[in-house]
Amino acid sequence: MTTHHTDTSAHTAPATPAHHSPTVRGPLPLGADPHTSRRNGRVLVGAGALLAFVSTMLPWTWTSEFPGDLTIALYPAGLQLLTLVAAVLTAALLLASAGVRGLRWLTPGGKHSALLLMALASLAVTWYTAGAIAVELGGLVNLEPGMWIGAAGTLLAVIGALALPADLAPETGDDAREPAPWARLTHALKAPSPGRPAPLPDWAEILVICASCALGLYVFAYGIEADGGPPFIGFLMLSAFAFPALHRTGLPRRLTALTAKHRGVTLAATFAAALLFPITQSNEAYTNIAVSVLIFATVALGLNMVVGLAGILDLGYVAFLGVGAYTAALVSGAETSSLGIHVPFWAAVLIGAAVALVFGLVIGFPSLRLHGDYLAIVTLGFGEIFRISVQNLDGDSGPNITNGPNGIPNIPDLELFGFNLGEPHTLLGFELGRFANYYLLMLLFTAIVVTIFRRSDNSRIGRAWIAIREDETAARAMGVNAFRLKLMAFALGATLAGMAGTVLAHVEFSVNPESYKFVHTAPPNSAFLLIAVILGGMGTVSGPLIGAALLYLIPAKLQFMADYQLLLFGIALVLLMRFRPEGLIADRRKQLEFHETGQLDVPDATAQTTPGLPGIGKTEA
């Protein structure tokens, strides 16, 4: 007779996660015990979200002079739409945190922390709108009852969210005193990592990826179409709270696991969404902004290869963009071109890239033997030398090549395969204007640069670049030819910038030396590109693209703040270094470098073999 022994350790129920603990107090308890505080908090959040939703169906002001026309009942517009979205998301997160079936997938990680941030998003947008109406129209008397209802409802939602327990248990220590209110608030904004998701069919995972790309396209299109001033500031406020709330839920990490599994599908869906962008725009001015964003995002990605992968601090990178732009202008057949020749565009691209490559080799060969600040000063000097040189090549101070400070104007539009990109064309029933044509062309160049970046990063050369970036002395000791590989990265980055410059010259009709300074109130400039790489996340693909888009789009929409642009950039960098030093989109290496994770230096076997765990690679970002 065989005796069966039960392994109690294998069947022991797992411990309850900390974010389900009913004993963790919220920052603002509304009851004698946690259960009462939780119940009262949920009631207030639900009532506040409902009031905020109802307020968007009522007029917020009596006159249409305020941007967005907030005077029509049952027709939300402008900033009302942002409050409406925030109220709906707050209600959805509330139901998900309460365990309502069908919505629990919204919060695989943090529940109450995400709810608190979303309630703060609704409060920020609504109260900012009230203040903007009072300032622009001359007092609180211009607020209609709908505006007061929305302000009261969003305040109730925040108070209720503050009463909810924290997602994580308090840190235990020798000091058993009650934590300060600020400490309780910061702890309430922390969220646990999501657990392993239930498996989905491949078609469902692909559908989730495509839906995420479509949602990203809609958000980007809405941001570009938003009017400058209060509507765009409200959009920024909603984004500043909504995206951290989304991060707390754990959904981005699960999406990252899906994109890592279906990389080909992710790239195809991303570029398909980008291709559809022009048909979502009814105004060519918005497409013009998108073209500029794409150009500078592509150049920032090229700089990311130099700074993010190889660790070379290049402060004169914009000069290579200027080299490509001037080269294309000289061979474009422009009337003011000193060469007086006109070559096909494909030849102009090759010539511009080749000239930028030569400049990169000439500058990089002597300067890359330097390190640190000395190398940065040399590259900064090269950028200024280029600008001063093209400014003096006017026939008086030097040979007449670049037409001096006047630049080369009246650059003709491109013609590709018989299509003049300066004229509107109809494609599949959609009319594409001039900037839409250049947008699609630049999207092709972006795809090329992304492909080069990914292939380089995943190659042996890319791994050597990373080794040099982390510790050049150790890399040399392991047999890596640091100088040759750094020169290769420097030259490749210069080539990509020159290639993008050939398109920039035709988009802007002219090239001018004043456009290629180190620091300027308007892009392109080297400081702008470097900030875009740092802001987005060094060493990633999507980081510089997002960083460049933000840094170009925000000044373009908030032109009334142009005089304070550099000050605001400085403040933004200080805050970024304090709260997010790894950038908005960070790879796993940067996350481990800048944050205490509490994990072992060497992962256990389970973490190495379990798919879908949190963590994001450089090219997956």
Side-chain angles (χ1 to χ4, degrees), residues 89-90 93 106-107 109-120 167 188-191 241-242 244-250:
L89 291 177
T90 300
L93 291 177
L106 286 174
T107 54
K111 294 176 172 55
H112 296 155
S113 56
L115 181 58
L116 174 58
L117 284 170
M118 191 56 64
L120 288 173
D167 290 325
L189 294 176
K190 297 179 181 180
F241 287 98
L246 185 65
H247 178 73
R248 298 298 194 283
T249 62

Side-chain angles (χ1 to χ4, degrees), residues 235-247:
F235 173 75
L236 289 180
M237 285 185 171
L238 177 61
S239 302
F241 287 98
F243 283 108
L246 185 65
H247 178 73

Side-chain angles (χ1 to χ4, degrees), residues 275-352:
L275 282 172
L276 294 175
F277 172 79
I279 67 176
T280 65
Q281 303 301 303
S282 58
N283 192 332
E284 271 282 275
Y286 301 141
T287 312
N288 181 21
I289 296 177
V291 174
S292 300
V293 167
L294 205 55
I295 290 175
F296 300 129
T298 304
V299 178
L301 189 58
L303 178 60
N304 189 33
M305 188 173 297
V306 179
V307 178
L309 293 185
I312 304 172
L313 182 56
D314 188 353
L315 299 182
Y317 190 74
V318 75
F320 298 118
L321 179 68
V323 168
Y326 266 95
T327 302
L330 289 172
V331 300
S332 63
E335 296 179 358
T336 54
S337 172
S338 60
L339 300 183
I341 61 175
H342 186 197
V343 300
F345 176 65
W346 63 267
V349 171
L350 295 179
I351 295 173

Side-chain angles (χ1 to χ4, degrees), residues 236-478:
L236 289 180
M237 285 185 171
L238 177 61
S239 302
F241 287 98
F243 283 108
L246 185 65
H247 178 73
R248 298 298 194 283
T249 62
L251 290 177
R253 292 195 177 187
R254 289 195 170 180
L255 181 61
T256 298
L258 295 183
T259 57
K261 180 180 178 181
H262 304 281
R263 293 183 181 180
V265 173
T266 302
L267 286 177
T270 301
F271 281 102
L275 282 172
L276 294 175
F277 172 79
I279 67 176
T280 65
Q281 303 301 303
S282 58
N283 192 332
E284 271 282 275
Y286 301 141
T287 312
N288 181 21
I289 296 177
V291 174
S292 300
V293 167
L294 205 55
I295 290 175
F296 300 129
T298 304
V299 178
L301 189 58
L303 178 60
N304 189 33
M305 188 173 297
V306 179
V307 178
L309 293 185
I312 304 172
L313 182 56
D314 188 353
L315 299 182
Y317 190 74
V318 75
F320 298 118
L321 179 68
V323 168
Y326 266 95
T327 302
L330 289 172
V331 300
S332 63
E335 296 179 358
T336 54
S337 172
S338 60
L339 300 183
I341 61 175
H342 186 197
V343 300
F345 176 65
W346 63 267
V349 171
L350 295 179
I351 295 173
V355 174
L357 171 63
V358 171
F359 270 83
L361 292 174
V362 171
I363 301 301
F365 190 81
S367 63
L368 290 178
R369 300 183 185 276
L370 303 173
H371 301 278
D373 299 339
Y374 302 101
L375 175 60
I377 293 173
V378 170
T379 57
L380 175 61
F382 163 66
E384 289 303 300
I385 290 172
F386 168 78
R387 182 181 63 84
I388 295 173
S389 298
V390 296
Q391 191 169 358
N392 291 329
L393 295 178
D394 57 354
D396 295 330
S397 303
N400 186 13
I401 299 178
T402 63
N403 203 23
N406 295 323
I408 304 177
N410 301 323
I411 300 175
D413 284 307
L414 293 174
E415 288 192 13
L416 295 176
F417 307 107
F419 290 95
N420 189 332
L421 298 188
E423 300 176 354
H425 299 282
T426 302
L427 180 64
L428 300 178
F430 297 98
E431 184 174 347
L432 302 178
R434 177 181 184 272
F435 293 112
N437 296 330
Y438 280 105
Y439 173 87
L440 296 177
L441 175 64
M442 196 59 218
L443 189 62
L444 175 62
F445 280 81
T446 304
I448 294 174
V449 174
V450 169
T451 302
I452 293 174
F453 186 95
R454 286 175 55 87
R455 299 284 293 181
S456 300
D457 186 29
N458 292 327
S459 66
R460 188 173 68 176
I461 294 176
R463 292 191 291 272
W465 283 341
I466 295 175
I468 295 172
R469 181 193 68 189
E470 297 299 324
D471 193 329
E472 184 173 344
T473 303
R476 290 178 184 273
M478 297 302 295

Side-chain angles (χ1 to χ4, degrees), residues 173-198:
D174 297 335
D175 190 359
R177 291 179 300 177
E178 180 74 14
W182 177 253
R184 293 205 305 268
L185 177 61
T186 56
H187 183 73
L189 294 176
K190 297 179 181 180
S193 300
R196 180 190 297 182

Side-chain angles (χ1 to χ4, degrees), residues 24-28 37-38 41-42 45 94 112 115 160-166:
V24 183
R25 296 183 60 192
L28 186 64
S37 180
R38 183 200 300 264
R42 286 177 175 174
V45 172
L94 174 64
H112 296 155
L115 181 58
L162 290 173
L164 297 175

Side-chain angles (χ1 to χ4, degrees), residues 472-490:
E472 184 173 344
T473 303
R476 290 178 184 273
M478 297 302 295
V480 175
N481 191 334
F483 174 75
R484 181 174 65 86
L485 290 171
K486 287 167 64 177
L487 183 61
M488 185 183 301
F490 197 80

